[in-house]
Amino acid sequence: MKQLTDDHVLFINASQNRNGNTARIGKQLITTPHYQQLNLVDYKIYQIGQAFSDDQFAEVVDQIQQASHLILGIPVYWHAMSGCLKVLLERLSQMDNPEKISVFVQDADPSETEGPTKNIVRRFANVLGMDYQEI
């Protein structure tokens, strides 16, 4: 695996486990001292079109907009990315985002899901004008 070093890296852990395999792999890949981990499981982010007073999307966006490089750690549940990450990407598609984005897929056997999952993120990056960097 390629080691990543960059300033202002935000690692978004899309796992239900704050300190599980996805977090462990993120710690191995990201070597910059400015790296921060955001665990999606700690935030309530509602789907596009829903408006609830306890929505914490703005808190997540504040952290994302401070980053120069966004790294998504994606565990695979039922052959696809986690639902909380999909909701976040849909909401982020309407915002200004960091310049760079990378992704890694964590699964017992990611051979069938890694390609399609990375393609979604690659397309997301392309639409938003972000530089997709392979890990």
Side-chain angles (χ1 to χ4, degrees):
M1 288 185 194
K2 180 180 173 184
Q3 291 279 318
L4 289 177
T5 56
D6 200 354
D7 288 335
H8 302 97
V9 170
L10 179 63
F11 165 50
I12 295 183
N13 177 13
S15 173
Q16 64 183 339
N17 302 307
R18 291 167 190 83
N19 297 305
N21 290 332
T22 304
R24 182 183 50 76
I25 292 169
K27 287 177 186 174
Q28 291 173 351
L29 291 174
I30 305 165
T31 58
T32 180
H34 301 288
Y35 138 66
Q36 293 179 314
Q37 180 172 322
L38 183 147
N39 300 304
L40 283 181
V41 72
D42 294 335
Y43 296 89
K44 288 183 184 179
I45 301 174
Y46 294 102
Q47 295 189 34
I48 289 177
Q50 293 182 318
F52 296 102
S53 61
D54 61 345
D55 187 276
Q56 295 175 295
F57 178 66
E59 293 174 44
V60 173
V61 167
D62 286 344
Q63 293 180 59
I64 289 171
Q65 290 181 333
Q66 293 176 31
S68 61
H69 192 157
L70 189 61
I71 298 175
L72 306 176
I74 302 176
V76 173
Y77 302 127
W78 290 100
H79 311 288
M81 72 175 65
S82 64
C84 61
L85 181 62
K86 185 164 184 332
V87 168
L88 178 66
L89 291 178
E90 288 171 349
R91 298 275 304 267
L92 285 175
S93 68
Q94 302 173 340
M95 311 297 297
D96 290 331
N97 291 289
E99 297 172 11
K100 294 180 264 182
I101 190 167
S102 300
V103 62
F104 66 88
V105 177
Q106 185 277 124
D107 188 13
D109 179 16
S111 60
E112 291 183 19
T113 56
E114 184 175 27
T117 302
K118 284 185 173 183
N119 284 339
I120 291 169
V121 176
R122 216 178 267 117
R123 174 75 175 134
F124 172 81
N126 185 48
V127 168
L128 297 180
M130 298 172 74
D131 179 20
Y132 177 86
Q133 297 185 344
E134 194 70 41
I135 296 181

